């Protein structure tokens, strides 16, 4: 796969981001991984706390175990790469969760700029502890979001099962001046 | 102000997003507002719940009142435009908060694609209720995030008070394979 980042029309680039759960076996280019972490490093956060770190998972057995942990990360089993977001787990839970969303969105966009697709998975309840133990992450950390990344397998069953989710009409979405 | 969206190099576009708190009086072009809501409408969310709506605030007196509400939205007083994120306030608080972060990041990026800058503000405690009352928003909604948007006032005191927040070194940020 050629890994070149082409200029984009930014509105279409942002609007067109999709969630994709089926991936080919092609590896994620190292430049894409490097760009993901450069952009992540410069992501804004409440009081610039940068309450995050990452574990990059490429080992297929580990990806399979994570995919089986309680939550919604089954797509990891077929991902070329997983990126686990390890949050500080501080008392500022709302800020961390909000900033975790900002970060996840940017990771998905960087991947997409490289022609890659991604899907957000969440670990829940005992699934979070299981992943911490599996990867040697301190218990106090919050391990919830994982990103599956790879090239889309357009031939896979269910690959485009949600090609265009319906969206709220604009009139319900936008209120001018007041509710 | 010419309002043209130029193609961007996406990695630099994402990496370079800043938070700006001082704005000129120049209005936000309608095409930028339209693009913000187009991209917002297509933002991904947990189970595609789209647990959000928006109030666009242009009235200077209203912006001033919101800026004075408890929280961290003082920058609204000088913004050309405010966009209030009105979340459903369901029991899925973690998902809503995470998706609220995804949404805020995209709004900031769309604004930036139009040459505009933005800052995220939060309302806290009684400030949230005050804003709901002011704008006629149902009590059950969660009103927390507001985005100030406008052209940067590069001459303002403090406009570049945080030009480059220091960032974590890459070695602390990225763990390969396991923690």
């Amino acid at each position: 796969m050629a890994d070149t980042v082409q200029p984009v029309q930014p509105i279409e680039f942002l609007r067109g981001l999709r969630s994709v759960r089926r991936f080919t076996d092609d590896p994620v280019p190292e430049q894409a991984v490097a760009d993901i972490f450069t952009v992540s490093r410069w992501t804004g956060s409440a009081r610039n706390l940068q309450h995050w770190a990452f574990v990059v998972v490429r080992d297929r057995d580990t990806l399979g175990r994570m995919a089986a942990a309680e939550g919604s990360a089954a797509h990891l089993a077929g991902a070329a790469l997983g990126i686990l977001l390890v949050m500080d787990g501080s008392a500022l839970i709302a800020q961390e969760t909000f900033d975790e969303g900002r970060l996840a969105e940017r990771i998905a966009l960087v991947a997409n700029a490289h022609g890659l697709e991604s899907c957000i998975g969440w670990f829940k309840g005992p699934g979070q502890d299981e992943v911490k133990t599996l990867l040697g992450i301190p218990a106090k950390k919050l391990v919830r979001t994982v990103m599956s990344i790879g090239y889309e397998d357009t031939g896979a069953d269910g690959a485009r099962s949600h090609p265009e989710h319906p969206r709220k009409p604009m009139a319900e979405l936008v209120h001018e001046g007041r509710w």
Side-chain angles (χ1 to χ4, degrees), chain A:
Chain A
M1 294 267 169
D3 179 48
T4 50
V5 171
Q6 301 293 333
V8 297
Q9 201 288 341
I11 306 305
E12 186 43 42
F13 171 64
L14 292 164
R15 199 208 67 81
L17 186 70
R18 296 179 303 129
S19 181
V20 167
R21 294 160 185 273
R22 306 293 177 106
F23 306 98
T24 68
D25 294 334
D26 297 294
V28 174
E30 285 311 305
Q31 186 58 50
V33 178
D35 284 348
I36 283 171
F37 292 122
T38 297
V39 167
S40 293
R41 187 165 172 256
W42 288 99
T43 300
S45 55
R47 302 189 222 160
N48 194 33
L49 284 168
Q50 308 171 61
H51 19 214
W52 46 56
F54 308 93
V55 180
V56 187
V57 182
R58 304 167 198 261
D59 179 68
R60 187 125 310 277
D61 179 58
T62 307
L63 287 169
R65 286 167 187 248
M66 292 169 74
E70 187 173 330
S72 58
H75 44 80
L76 262 185
L81 188 84
I83 295 178
L84 183 70
L85 278 53
V86 181
M87 306 300 292
D88 282 354
S90 75
L92 296 170
I93 182 65
Q95 285 91 333
E96 279 195 19
T97 305
F98 183 91
D99 290 334
E100 197 177 349
R102 297 175 70 185
L103 187 61
E105 194 68 17
R106 286 161 73 89
I107 290 172
L109 288 165
V110 174
N112 200 235
H114 279 272
L116 295 153
E117 303 292 345
S118 66
C119 190
I120 294 170
W122 268 25
F123 298 111
K124 289 179 189 160
Q128 299 189 350
D129 295 329
E130 202 179 313
V131 170
K132 282 191 254 190
T133 303
L134 179 66
L135 299 177
I137 297 165
K140 67 176 182 180
K141 298 285 186 184
L142 172 61
V143 160
R144 176 168 49 190
T145 303
V146 69
M147 312 274 301
S148 284
I149 297 176
Y151 293 100
E152 181 174 14
D153 183 357
T154 51
D157 272 3
R160 298 297 298 271
S161 59
H162 304 297
E164 290 278 40
H165 281 296
R167 302 288 159 145
K168 276 189 190 172
M170 204 58 100
E172 264 181 49
L173 201 63
V174 181
H175 302 253
E176 189 64 47
R178 61 182 282 121
W179 191 264

